[in-house]
Amino acid sequence: MSKRRRHPDRSQTEHGSTPRASRAACFRPMFVGGLLVIAGVTILVWGVWGWEVDLPRPPNAGPRKAGTQNAGTQTSDSTLWQVEIAPVSQWGRALEHEQVGDVFVPPTGDRISKGYIGTAECRRCHESQFASYTETAHWRSCRVSDPEQEPAGASFEHARSSSRYDVFREKGRLFHRETLVGKEGQTLSVTELPVSLTVGSGTHARTYLCESDGKFLESPITWYREAGWDLSPGYDLPIHPSFSRMASDDCLFCHVGRVERSRENSRECRIIEHSISCERCHGPGEDHRQFHADVVTSGRDDFSDVEDPIVHPGRLSRELSEAICQQCHLQGMAFATAAGATLWDFQPGEPLGKVRTDFQYSGNDEFRVAGHVEQLHKSACYLGSDTLTCITCHDPHYQPPHESQVDYYRQKCIQCHESESCDVDDATRMARNNNACSQCHMPRRATDVTHAALHQHQIGIYKGESAPRVEPVTEIRLVPLVHYRELAQSEQTRRTVLAVHYALTSGVSLQPLAGQFSWAIQTAYDAVKSGEADVAVEAMLARNMMSLGKHDTAVQLAKRILVRAREGTRENNEARDILGEFALTTQNNQDALSQYRRLTKVRHDANDWYLLGMCERNAGNINAAIDAFRRSLAIRPDLVVSHLALEELLMTEEPDLANSHRGVRQALQALHAEFNRYGSVA
């Protein structure tokens, strides 16, 4: 998505330390630079390698039949293997032959007591505010994709990943397609999914979500206002997540109004309100509605002694008003929530620190797409004022037309600054930028998001520079971006420990945080030993103990977590991951089989399905093994070991399919030159 948040839900790199089964038995793994090596078999884990190929130009492929992976185009020997594989967009309860009465509830865990009533109810009494709000970018933050409202289709190539991408419409739906191309120009795989949601207002970009079995998947294709269709942020890599990256409700937090989460699986959610809703800034509306209903029925003329319970951001203290904006526009390398809390527990009118703490590198001034808060806090304008805050310049209910934006924002500046105080004369200012204050004092800077340049919010005098100078620091560590003074030191320590872990498991380099990481491990160990650790800290320690080879400690913690953490939560999943890994290393196939059967139901991960396939094969369940391997390839068509497994299993009964898998496997190995260096299969 366009806003890149480091969340505690472990990213798609989460299996970087998970062992993989061999063809006949289980072996202890060796993790090398993004690759997992077991008995000479290398598992692909997301990583970056320095290979690049010249992408051939295969013949143009037109749209295929909806819901298929390779229909509508002539099936070659290299893509024959996909005929038997159900696309992830067709996965569902019916495919599983299950009848599950799943229940969806707010992420906070209760269904009613929070008092949310929805934007439609607010509109009944606040029509004018609703009408103006629908013209803002927040209202356009997320919506059901309408092909007629999306940019025209296109095709483009990405040489680094040897892939071709197509955006097209068919039967009233928008489709995104990825084609992996071999070094000889042959098509190795085609992954095609219908688009369900458009995320982003389009002011800078639009990202897209697809669906699979109740889960939202991020498309690798994004539309940028400055560049048109291109790869999504973070995907410009030789090996990237393709369509496999899940978007949980944590990911959606800054883009939708309200969600409900599955009780069975915390990674599944359904959207109740797509747009950022009234209650995200004003708080739950039920008490407000009842208050005014009581006014009407009471017959009283004077209610000055009774406070309307609705939150008005303009009447809050600066700290509490900013917290409303900060819930989405404060972003660092990682964040950690209070014990047992989720992002969605924040309510307007309360300090953000009550629910969560966001962390950034000390001394780091890397500009991030949502880094406006910390920049503003460094401004002389902010430091010299008791009232300047986000809504001083940004009216959440009004977005000025493009043609009047310069004057609109200049008027905000001259509330405090006289025009004559500028060192540049009026005539020069008009000629240079139509007297736009922000062009000089808040210059645009490149961001860590593709094709996006946003205004620097550290207001200042730059004299031709695009950014303030930053003094070098001798020590880098994660520190809170905003301090919550009432937070107990023990809780601040807990959140820092978790943030270090979450940052590292989301792909941040270990080197800058090596010292703090050692401290975090020791602190977590001490908390567990003293009985003061919650289940999140236990899960953090268990994962790191497993990675460090302290298997007994990790397994003991994992078993305790299974008792304490509800099914489907990230902590429960982490515990099952550890127990499955340990079962493989000790050749306990039955236990491993049990863990991966559960994990494949709650996660969307090709490696989970591959490991389940190996366990099913070891148990003699050949048909179940074939199905699991095929599921892994539906998620990641480039997973070499799954092609190898199916090549061997199908050779006797279906030699054509087996040979197709062999051809793709060999082509993938040839394509990934660095892959072979670490000991790929023969």
Side-chain angles (χ1 to χ4, degrees), residues 356-661:
R356 83 170 199 248
T357 303
D358 293 72
F359 293 81
Q360 181 59 283
Y361 284 146
S362 59
N364 180 58
D365 191 57
E366 179 184 1
F367 185 66
R368 301 191 166 274
V369 80
H372 296 162
V373 174
E374 56 268 36
Q375 293 171 0
L376 179 63
H377 285 185
K378 296 177 183 178
S379 301
C381 290
Y382 183 88
L383 296 172
S385 168
D386 293 328
T387 58
L388 176 63
T389 188
C390 308
I391 58 177
T392 303
C393 301
H394 299 286
D395 184 345
H397 289 129
Y398 176 72
Q399 186 163 317
H402 180 74
E403 60 273 12
S404 61
Q405 285 184 4
V406 169
D407 182 65
Y408 177 85
Y409 289 111
R410 183 171 59 247
Q411 293 303 316
K412 300 293 184 182
C413 297
I414 63 178
Q415 292 179 36
C416 299
H417 302 277
E418 295 182 0
S419 180
E420 294 75 15
S421 65
C422 184
D423 291 341
V424 182
D425 61 82
D426 286 350
T428 302
R429 279 184 272 157
M430 290 299 296
R432 181 182 296 170
N433 55 31
N434 197 29
N435 200 13
C437 305
S438 63
Q439 293 297 315
C440 293
H441 300 289
M442 300 175 65
R444 288 184 178 273
R445 295 178 58 191
T447 73
D448 62 347
V449 173
T450 311
H451 306 304
L454 304 182
H455 280 291
Q456 162 67 249
H457 273 57
Q458 186 171 343
I459 308 165
I461 300 174
Y462 291 102
K463 300 293 186 182
E465 300 175 5
S466 62
R469 289 190 177 91
V470 180
E471 295 298 324
V473 293
T474 56
E475 179 186 7
I476 294 178
R477 55 195 178 90
L478 288 182
V479 296
L481 282 169
V482 176
H483 289 275
Y484 177 41
R485 292 181 295 274
E486 296 181 21
L487 191 66
Q489 182 58 51
S490 58
E491 175 62 12
Q492 183 60 65
T493 298
R494 171 191 166 275
R495 295 185 191 182
T496 305
V497 165
L498 292 174
V500 171
H501 174 68
Y502 296 153
L504 292 173
T505 55
S506 68
V508 171
S509 172
L510 172 62
Q511 185 175 1
L513 297 176
Q516 197 175 24
F517 175 64
S518 297
W519 165 85
I521 295 294
Q522 185 61 54
T523 303
Y525 181 83
D526 292 342
V528 170
K529 190 175 180 180
S530 66
E532 298 175 356
D534 71 313
V535 69
V537 174
E538 287 185 345
M540 172 269 188
L541 184 63
R543 167 47 58 197
N544 286 289
M545 289 294 99
M546 196 66 185
S547 299
L548 294 171
K550 307 293 185 180
H551 293 174
D552 290 344
T553 301
V555 169
Q556 183 181 0
L557 284 169
K559 289 179 178 179
R560 187 160 70 180
I561 292 167
L562 284 186
V563 176
R564 298 183 64 190
R566 186 168 48 84
E567 286 283 346
T569 61
R570 65 174 59 94
E571 291 83 12
N572 188 284
N573 293 344
E574 183 74 271
R576 291 191 179 281
D577 208 1
I578 290 168
L579 293 174
E581 177 178 341
F582 182 72
L584 292 178
T585 62
T586 57
Q587 301 189 42
N588 184 345
N589 191 73
Q590 188 58 41
D591 193 20
L593 183 63
S594 174
Q595 302 303 340
Y596 287 109
R597 280 178 175 171
R598 177 58 188 169
L599 287 172
T600 53
K601 293 182 184 300
V602 297
R603 302 199 295 203
H604 186 81
D605 190 287
N607 288 326
D608 283 348
W609 283 104
Y610 167 74
L611 289 172
L612 176 60
M614 295 305 296
C615 293
E616 296 283 12
R617 178 176 178 172
N618 290 343
N621 305 323
I622 302 304
N623 289 336
I626 290 173
D627 178 70
F629 291 134
R630 284 174 170 167
R631 294 284 188 106
S632 74
L633 291 175
I635 299 173
R636 290 294 310 194
D638 57 352
L639 195 60
V640 170
V641 286
S642 287
H643 284 290
L644 173 65
L646 287 169
E647 173 188 337
E648 295 178 341
L649 287 174
L650 298 173
M651 186 57 72
T652 300
E653 300 294 333
E654 300 181 77
D656 289 344
L657 283 175
N659 286 326
S660 180
H661 282 288

Side-chain angles (χ1 to χ4, degrees), residues 1 104 142-144 196-199 209 211 214 216 247-249 252 255-261 268-276 344:
M1 327 251 288
F104 286 80
C142 180
R143 56 204 173 277
V144 176
S196 298
L197 296 178
T198 299
V199 179
L209 299 183
E211 289 185 72
F216 292 110
S248 67
D249 60 77
L252 295 172
H255 300 281
V256 305
R258 197 153 49 100
V259 302
E260 288 185 343
R261 179 185 288 177
E268 288 186 24
C269 66
R270 63 184 182 189
I271 299 173
I272 306 303
E273 290 193 82
H274 288 82
S275 297
I276 299 296
W344 298 89

Side-chain angles (χ1 to χ4, degrees), residues 128-164:
S128 62
Q129 290 93 333
F130 174 81
S132 63
Y133 179 63
T134 57
E135 300 297 320
T136 68
H138 282 128
W139 179 256
R140 303 191 302 273
S141 59
C142 180
R143 56 204 173 277
V144 176
S145 297
D146 179 356
E148 300 306 315
Q149 300 299 318
E150 298 300 333
S155 299
F156 64 92
E157 297 172 348
H158 184 239
R160 294 188 71 193
S161 62
S162 190
S163 300
R164 184 175 66 253

